[in-house]
């Protein structure tokens, strides 16, 4: 007789472990196989925390911001970040779930903002209750999205991209020239001067002041968070519905989806309209807080910024795009100030090196070589001519990186272009040659950062965005939290 | 009548520049099926390279070489610089994504466009750069020229129109009459089959980028001969060129030329006549609406094409094979 008890079939009260619909269990569990068992277990545990718990935790933590900082600046950044999170959530519907390249997205943000400014300001003397105007504007945004999507019948990537991008340009034209409008309608959009004195938000006529004793009123931050939570939950349910599944399936393979009987064009229009509605909703918040709207706010720069958030966080993952929005928003804010930007650069520099050479003996070698190289270069430059290292712009690193007192006009372009050529060249090298070449290139990078880029924060911020976008697409197209697409052959 | 002639000329000048830009879009789209968003910024970089070369040769007032040589050198420098730039962009931003989902290279292209525009702003500032050719040889380029009716066609317009058409003719020859051109057309028709026939796809793609970007560089110089250039110019120019390519039928070389001209004419005629449009005395546009609403007119043309002829004028309707 064997002493092992035969394994019983599971009783009716045993937990049902049916595979989740629409998710390949083997793919979903790949972490358990890749990581050591205990880590994999932990990872699986973290994954099992339901999404609403994460959301509550996140919103709860975000609500604590005013406790930690009473500065109006920080609160204002917090509010802007919430706006970015909303925008990223909306764009995620179109790009992440619908798989459509909508380059007119921020025009709908503008439509929302302008609609609010027209419905609640002295411009036409209309002061609608926000509880009425906001739903109305959301509907207007959705209809605008549908109307724009309709003519681009072949809503395939390229054609949609061009029509929507031109729509963004058209929105600019209309907003900028709307002070002499068509059909003798007179001054509609205020032209380049924008619309001023827009009402703050109100609740059945009771206004919510933007400033409280000269400091940004935290009420707006909470309203923004509430909007965020509602939009997040609503979109989450939409995504889990039939429509959401259909979106994702037509994204992966429109032809197969159509053959399965899905109304592919209608689905695309729907995702388009959903994105536009969220953007319009965000626009109302923007207009009510700033009390003014200007055409140039809603342009290409904002578009690319929101795209970077979605791509960085991971297209298709709601938590991801929120994370992306926070990272990019904070990053852009830090880059505004040279002191913060410098510290951030060296932190990311160190982290980048550690990630690149994790578990490798090359890390200490490269780090030591880099530090030595820096001091040597500094000493040599100082010995040749003292003014070459006499610059004060370098802050606490100015004894390591060469910061001349005065830069000749030819130095910035040459150094910058050489740096780009070197970095691109590095990607072609392999093995030890790459490691050796890395040291001077990294030093050149710090030189350019200190001498060329920190001096002009405005273009630098957007150069960083552009670099993030290109390198993400190449190195990690699924972003931080996006699920890796499974290749269908 | 005089106004009509001068508007036609305006349209031809603008349209030939748009056509050159559109050709770059169309060539790359034909071979890679990729909308190269960074193309407009290559155009902008071209106009800046032209400006730099002009300054290096002593500026428009005291050039070290005769005026005709100056113009040729400036154009050639811009074409060469842009060709290199185009190849670098292709190699590092698009080639790694060739097998990725179609949206990936598009987003990468957006990033490149952003990177180029703001790098130029970082290095050279956001101010307008004027070639200042008006001061060259006492304004001969702008003040002389032959007359049609009462309209003077200045020399600089002749140069722009003629050189744009010469470049298009050269391109037509390269695409239709040379071996490399044949390889390009084959790749555009079916990349995998072309590869199996022994065509080096990478070389064809690099060659396409060289051609397209060189045309963009030339267009940048031709554009900046008359109008000062600026770093944010790339976006608008790219958008117009892109629209021209779509109207003409993206992927088709004659289509891009015709599309560019259509766009140029639409822009100049609408700028000139838009405030005259009325229905029974009811004016749609306010008086002297001028160039403010040309974008609206172009958008309407684009939408009309999208609805009635999405493949454009010369494009093949694309049939999906399963």
């Amino acid at each position: 007789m064997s002493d092992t008890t035969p394994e019983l079939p599971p009783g009716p009260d045993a937990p049902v472990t049916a595979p989740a619909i629409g998710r390949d269990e083997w793919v979903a569990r790949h972490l358990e196989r890749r990581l050591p068992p205990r880590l994999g277990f932990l990872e699986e545990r973290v994954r099992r925390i339901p999404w609403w718990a994460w959301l509550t935790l996140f919103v709860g933590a975000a609500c604590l911001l005013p406790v930690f900082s009473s500065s109006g600046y920080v609160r204002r950044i917090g509010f802007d970040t919430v706006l970015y999170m909303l925008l990223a959530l909306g764009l995620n519907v179109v790009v992440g779930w619908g798989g459509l390249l909508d380059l007119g997205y921020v025009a709908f943000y503008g439509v929302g903002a302008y609609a609010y400014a027209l419905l609640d300001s002295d411009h036409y003397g209309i002061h609608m209750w926000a509880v009425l105007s906001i739903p109305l504007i959301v509907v207007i945004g959705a209809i605008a999205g549908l109307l724009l999507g309709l003519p681009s019948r072949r809503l395939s990537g390229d054609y949609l991209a061009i029509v929507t991008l031109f729509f963004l340009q058209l929105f600019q034209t209309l907003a900028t020239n709307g002070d002499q409008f068509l059909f003798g309608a007179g001054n509609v959009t205020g032209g380049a001067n924008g619309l001023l004195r827009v009402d703050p938000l109100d609740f059945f006529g009771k206004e919510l002041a933007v400033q409280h004793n000269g400091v940004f009123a935290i009420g707006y931050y909470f309203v923004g968070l509430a909007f965020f939570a509602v939009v997040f939950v609503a979109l989450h349910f939409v995504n889990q519905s039939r429509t959401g599944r259909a979106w994702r399936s037509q994204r992966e393979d429109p032809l197969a989806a159509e053959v399965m009987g899905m109304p592919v064009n209608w689905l695309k229009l729907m995702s388009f309209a959903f994105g536009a509605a969220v953007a319009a909703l965000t626009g109302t918040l923007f207009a009510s807080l700033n009390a003014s709207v200007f055409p140039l706010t809603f342009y290409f720069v904002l578009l690319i910024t929101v795209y970077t958030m979605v791509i960085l966080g991971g297209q298709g993952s709601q938590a991801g795009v929120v994370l992306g929005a926070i990272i990019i928003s904070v990053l852009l804010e830090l880059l505004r100030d040279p002191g913060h930007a410098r510290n951030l650069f060296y932190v990311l520099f160190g982290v980048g090196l550690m990630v690149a050479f994790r578990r490798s003996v090359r890390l200490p070698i490269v780090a030591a070589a880099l530090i030595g190289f820096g001091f040597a270069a500094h000493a040599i430059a100082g010995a040749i001519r003292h003014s070459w290292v006499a610059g004060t712009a370098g802050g606490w690193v100015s004894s390591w990186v060469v910061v001349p007192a005065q830069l000749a006009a030819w130095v910035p372009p040459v150094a910058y272009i050489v740096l780009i050529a070197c970095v691109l060249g590095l990607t072609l090298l392999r093995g030890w040659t790459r490691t050796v070449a890395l040291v001077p290139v990294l030093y050149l990078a710090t030189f350019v950062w200190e001498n060329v880029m920190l001096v002009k924060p405005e273009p630098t911020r957007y150069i960083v965005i552009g670099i993030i976008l290109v390198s993400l697409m190449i190195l990690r197209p699924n972003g931080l939290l996006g699920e890796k697409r499974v290749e269908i052959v | 009548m005089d106004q009509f002639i001068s508007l036609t000329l305006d349209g031809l000048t603008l349209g030939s520049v748009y056509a050159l830009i559109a050709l770059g879009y169309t060539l790359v789209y034909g071979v890679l099926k990729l909308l190269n968003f960074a193309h407009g910024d290559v155009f902008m970089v071209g106009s800046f390279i032209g400006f730099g070369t002009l300054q290096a040769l002593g500026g428009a007032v005291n050039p070290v070489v005769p005026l005709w040589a100056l113009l040729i050198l400036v154009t050639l420098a811009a074409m060469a610089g842009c060709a290199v730039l185009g190849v670098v962009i292709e190699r590092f931003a698009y080639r790694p994504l060739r097998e990725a989902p179609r949206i990936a290279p598009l987003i990468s292209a957006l990033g490149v466009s952003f990177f180029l525009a703001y790098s130029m702003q970082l290095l050279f500032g956001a101010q307008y750069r004027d070639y200042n050719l008006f001061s060259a040889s006492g304004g001969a380029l702008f003040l002389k020229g032959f007359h049609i009716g009462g309209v003077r066609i200045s020399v600089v317009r002749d140069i722009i129109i003629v050189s744009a058409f010469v470049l298009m003719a050269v391109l037509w020859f390269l695409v239709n009459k040379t071996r490399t051109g044949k390889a390009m057309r084959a790749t555009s028709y079916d990349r995998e089959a072309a590869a199996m026939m022994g065509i080096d796809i990478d070389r064809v793609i690099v060659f396409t980028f060289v051609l397209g970007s060189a045309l963009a560089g030339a267009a940048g110089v031709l554009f900046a001969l008359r109008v000062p250039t600026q770093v944010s110019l790339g976006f608008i120019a790219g958008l117009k060129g892109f629209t021209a390519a779509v109207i003409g039928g993206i992927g088709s070389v004659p289509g891009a030329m015709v599309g560019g001209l259509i766009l140029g004419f639409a822009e100049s005629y609408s700028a000139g006549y838009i405030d005259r449009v009325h229905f029974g005395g009811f004016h749609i546009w306010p008086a002297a609406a001028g160039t403010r609403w040309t974008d609206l007119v172009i958008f309407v043309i684009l939408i009309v094409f999208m609805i009635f002829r999405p493949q454009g004028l010369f494009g093949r309707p694309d049939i999906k094979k399963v």
Side-chain angles (χ1 to χ4, degrees), chain A residues 274-325:
Chain A
F274 262 89
V278 175
L281 173 73
T282 319
T284 63
L285 274 180
F286 175 84
S288 65
L289 178 82
N290 287 297
S292 57
V293 282
F294 301 101
L296 275 176
T297 315
F298 315 102
Y299 210 25
F300 197 54
V301 173
L302 181 65
L303 178 80
I304 301 296
T305 311
V306 181
Y307 259 93
T308 314
M309 292 167 178
V310 171
I311 304 291
L312 175 68
Q315 312 165 45
S317 151
Q318 279 190 300
V321 301
V322 171
L323 182 67

Side-chain angles (χ1 to χ4, degrees), chain A residues 153-154 158 182-183 416 456, chain B residues 102 119 122 284 307 318:
Chain A
R153 264 191 308 185
R154 303 203 285 175
D158 314 324
L182 313 176
F183 306 109
Y416 187 78
K456 293 184 181 170
Chain B
R102 277 188 74 180
S119 294
L122 175 79
I284 300 176
I307 293 174
D318 93 87

Side-chain angles (χ1 to χ4, degrees), chain B residues 117-160:
Chain B
Y118 281 99
S119 294
M120 290 304 275
Q121 186 182 334
L122 175 79
L123 299 179
F124 303 108
Q127 66 269 43
Y128 280 87
R129 304 284 181 168
D130 194 348
Y131 281 22
N132 200 16
L133 284 174
F134 198 83
S135 341
S137 19
L141 284 179
F142 287 83
L143 300 176
K144 288 189 181 159
F146 57 91
H147 292 254
I148 298 180
V151 182
R152 188 186 59 241
I153 308 174
S154 59
V155 179
V156 72
R157 278 188 198 279
D158 297 336
I159 293 176
I160 293 172

Side-chain angles (χ1 to χ4, degrees), chain B residues 69-95:
Chain B
L70 183 73
L71 290 178
I72 290 178
L73 282 176
V74 163
T75 314
L76 286 182
M79 289 175 78
C82 285
V84 172
L85 181 64
V87 172
V88 169
I89 293 174
E90 191 275 326
R91 176 65 188 77
F92 291 99
Y94 302 151
R95 193 177 296 181

Side-chain angles (χ1 to χ4, degrees), chain B residues 7-71:
Chain B
L7 286 177
T8 310
L9 267 176
D10 249 358
L12 202 60
T13 326
L14 265 179
S16 48
V17 173
Y18 288 157
L20 284 181
I21 306 174
L23 280 172
Y25 277 115
T26 246
L27 286 174
V28 170
Y29 190 89
V31 173
L32 270 186
K33 301 284 174 282
L34 160 73
L35 280 179
N36 180 9
F37 282 110
H39 193 66
D41 294 281
V42 174
F43 162 88
M44 178 271 295
V45 172
S47 69
F48 270 79
I49 295 176
F51 181 78
T53 318
L54 190 70
Q55 298 306 311
L57 292 173
V61 186
N62 293 312
V64 291
V65 289
L67 188 59
W68 59 269
L70 183 73
L71 290 178

Side-chain angles (χ1 to χ4, degrees), chain A residues 423-466:
Chain A
V423 170
L424 295 181
L426 265 189
T427 62
L428 299 179
L429 294 177
R430 288 281 171 269
W432 271 103
T433 36
R434 180 192 242 178
T435 316
V436 172
L438 190 63
V439 175
V441 173
L442 287 181
Y443 189 72
L444 181 62
T446 55
F447 175 81
V448 169
W449 182 258
E450 290 289 344
N451 288 295
V452 183
M453 301 185 77
L454 277 187
V455 191
K456 293 184 181 170
E458 198 54 27
T460 299
R461 298 165 80 201
Y462 299 119
I463 289 174
V464 169
I465 292 278

